[in-house]
Amino acid sequence: MHGEDPFHEGAGSVLRQPRAVWATAGASVVAFMGIGLVDPILPSIAKGLDATASQVSLLFTSYFLITAVAMLVTGFVSSRIGGRRTLLAGLALVVVFAALSGTSGSVGELVGFRAGWGLGNALFVSTALAVIVGAAAGGSAAAILLYESALGLGMACGPLLGAALGNASWRYPFFGTAALMAIGFVAITALLAEQPKPARRTSLLDPVRALGHGGLASVAASAFFYNYAFFTVLAFTPFVLDMTPYRSGAVFFAWGLLLAVFSVLVAPRLQRRFGSLGVLGGSLLLLAADLLVLGYGGHTVAVVCTVVSGAFIGMNNTVYTELALGVSDAPRPVASAGYNFVRWFAAAAAPFLAPRIEEWTDPHIPFVVAAVAAVAGAVVVWARRTSLVRRAGETAPAHAAEDGVSAFAN
């Protein structure tokens, strides 16, 4: 996809898709909404459950910790029961645990239910793109564009849904997500036929073995540092902004729009001009600078920097996944699982550590640490640059997502 202009390669047919593709893409939007859903209501949850910011941040930690571990399981499951059943299993888990989240009587219960939600979401999003590509009309480019658009739309709309429903009660966004995912479950049940199973079954250890490749290990290590910075923005910034759910939702809606635009439209163009490693290194350094200004600026500056960070995050998400897919000879689903297994641990660590760093120091230092992490990611890219290039030259993943990986959530 990123060797060509996505709007001149398959875009003409992107809207002419079978109903099964639209059902899966629609459910994908809701799945990605669940990631940012709690952003604008984090302060409300803390108040409603009489919890501290560090306790409420565990909603992200439990979610992504389970997601990281589940990356070793999703390929194992889908290669045995098929894509359709894996999607439905993931949707069913999200429906159950999202609804249970809305009934929570303590922050501990809510954290536990979010962990179950993370397992369901991992099963769904790790399979959805492969299903869309397999069922789509117009080739893989149109399918990838549709999926990445669903990703961006979900990341943008999640905070809006959280704000709209959460303004009445912090419980309502969870019930709303459960209802939407139940609709997705029914749609996929009715419209999506079973997909062919892969010729070879994936073992639980295949993703770990794939990390023995130096290039893939380097991408994963760099992405680990980057994800710490990314999820400091997503999970800690709402407490720093300290805004009403509506205002916070609007901020993260704008953030999500930039993420989508820069992931789908801007990153491919910059890659063609500067190369993947040049774009990634520059974007990481710009993200670090943005985080420092966010941490030390006034409230208005913090709002602007939060929104602007979406641009750098969108570019990084796309380039990292492309590197992970192209740098080794491992099958793409296996390479992606190993890479994501590493990087999602940082997504779990940042929400846990950032509020504690604030408690130990002051509100500025969590962003300094995040900026240092982004720089560390750039240093790894520079130091390991020779191992991050395919033997055949620059990565060219025009068909990268065909094996079931996304630019963000897989």
Side-chain angles (χ1 to χ4, degrees):
M1 172 180 173
H2 297 296
E4 303 90 9
D5 187 335
F7 278 94
H8 291 85
E9 178 67 27
S13 60
V14 71
L15 298 179
R16 297 192 297 271
Q17 299 295 340
R19 288 180 297 173
V21 172
W22 286 116
T24 307
S28 298
V29 171
V30 181
F32 295 127
M33 286 170 64
I35 296 175
L37 178 82
V38 299
D39 259 19
I41 58 172
L42 285 174
S44 299
I45 293 173
K47 183 177 180 180
L49 294 178
D50 193 25
T52 65
S54 59
Q55 289 174 322
V56 172
S57 68
L58 292 175
L59 295 177
F60 284 100
T61 297
S62 63
Y63 184 92
F64 288 116
L65 187 61
I66 294 299
T67 297
V69 176
M71 285 300 153
L72 302 181
V73 177
T74 52
F76 177 89
V77 172
S78 64
S79 66
R80 284 162 174 77
I81 69 174
R84 180 176 181 271
R85 292 178 180 176
T86 305
L87 286 179
L88 293 175
L91 286 169
L93 286 171
V94 172
V95 170
V96 170
F97 284 103
L100 288 174
S101 295
T103 68
S104 300
S106 68
V107 70
E109 286 185 7
L110 185 53
V111 167
F113 293 144
R114 278 282 286 181
W117 186 342
L119 173 60
N121 218 48
L123 288 171
F124 178 83
V125 300
S126 65
T127 311
L129 183 55
V131 170
I132 289 176
V133 170
S140 62
I144 295 167
L145 178 59
L146 181 63
Y147 186 82
E148 292 188 354
S149 299
L151 184 156
L153 183 62
M155 291 296 293
C157 291
L160 281 186
L161 178 67
L165 297 179
N167 196 54
S169 169
W170 65 264
R171 300 180 186 273
Y172 291 168
F174 298 112
F175 294 137
T177 300
L180 289 173
M181 290 303 257
I183 294 171
F185 183 96
V186 172
I188 289 177
T189 300
L191 300 175
L192 181 65
E194 184 54 84
Q195 304 296 298
K197 296 179 183 178
R200 177 183 175 273
R201 291 183 173 182
T202 301
S203 78
L204 292 174
L205 293 180
D206 281 350
V208 177
R209 296 190 185 103
L211 289 170
H213 185 280
L216 184 61
S218 299
V219 176
S222 178
F224 177 90
F225 291 113
Y226 156 65
N227 268 256
Y228 184 92
F230 174 7
F231 285 94
T232 297
V233 174
L234 192 63
F236 181 66
T237 303
F239 291 105
V240 174
L241 298 181
D242 193 24
M243 303 166 78
T244 65
Y246 276 129
R247 291 177 181 270
S248 183
V251 169
F252 279 95
F253 174 70
W255 169 87
L257 284 181
L258 278 187
L259 186 153
V261 169
F262 276 76
S263 175
V264 176
L265 301 179
V266 178
R269 289 167 171 78
L270 291 179
Q271 284 176 275
R272 288 195 299 272
R273 181 169 182 178
F274 300 107
S276 293
L277 299 186
V279 172
L280 185 59
S283 184
L284 285 168
L285 294 177
L286 288 172
L287 177 61
D290 182 79
L291 288 168
L292 287 175
V293 176
L294 194 164
Y296 283 95
H299 189 268
T300 300
V301 171
V303 169
V304 172
C305 288
T306 298
V307 173
V308 170
S309 71
F312 308 128
I313 288 169
M315 288 192 291
N316 290 336
N317 288 341
T318 296
V319 180
Y320 267 120
T321 300
E322 293 185 359
L323 289 174
L325 295 178
V327 77
S328 76
D329 294 328
R332 286 172 181 149
V334 173
S336 175
Y339 154 75
N340 283 295
F341 172 70
V342 173
R343 71 167 185 144
W344 283 121
F345 277 109
F352 177 80
L353 291 175
R356 284 164 176 77
I357 292 172
E358 180 194 25
E359 293 171 1
W360 300 331
T361 56
D362 61 58
H364 309 300
I365 302 303
F367 294 102
V368 174
V369 174
V372 170
V375 172
V379 169
V380 172
V381 170
W382 179 82
R384 299 288 295 169
R385 59 192 181 279
T386 56
S387 68
L388 294 178
V389 178
R390 293 181 67 179
R391 288 172 296 182
E394 180 77 4
T395 57
H399 51 285
E402 294 179 10
D403 294 304
V405 279
S406 74
F408 175 78
N410 188 9

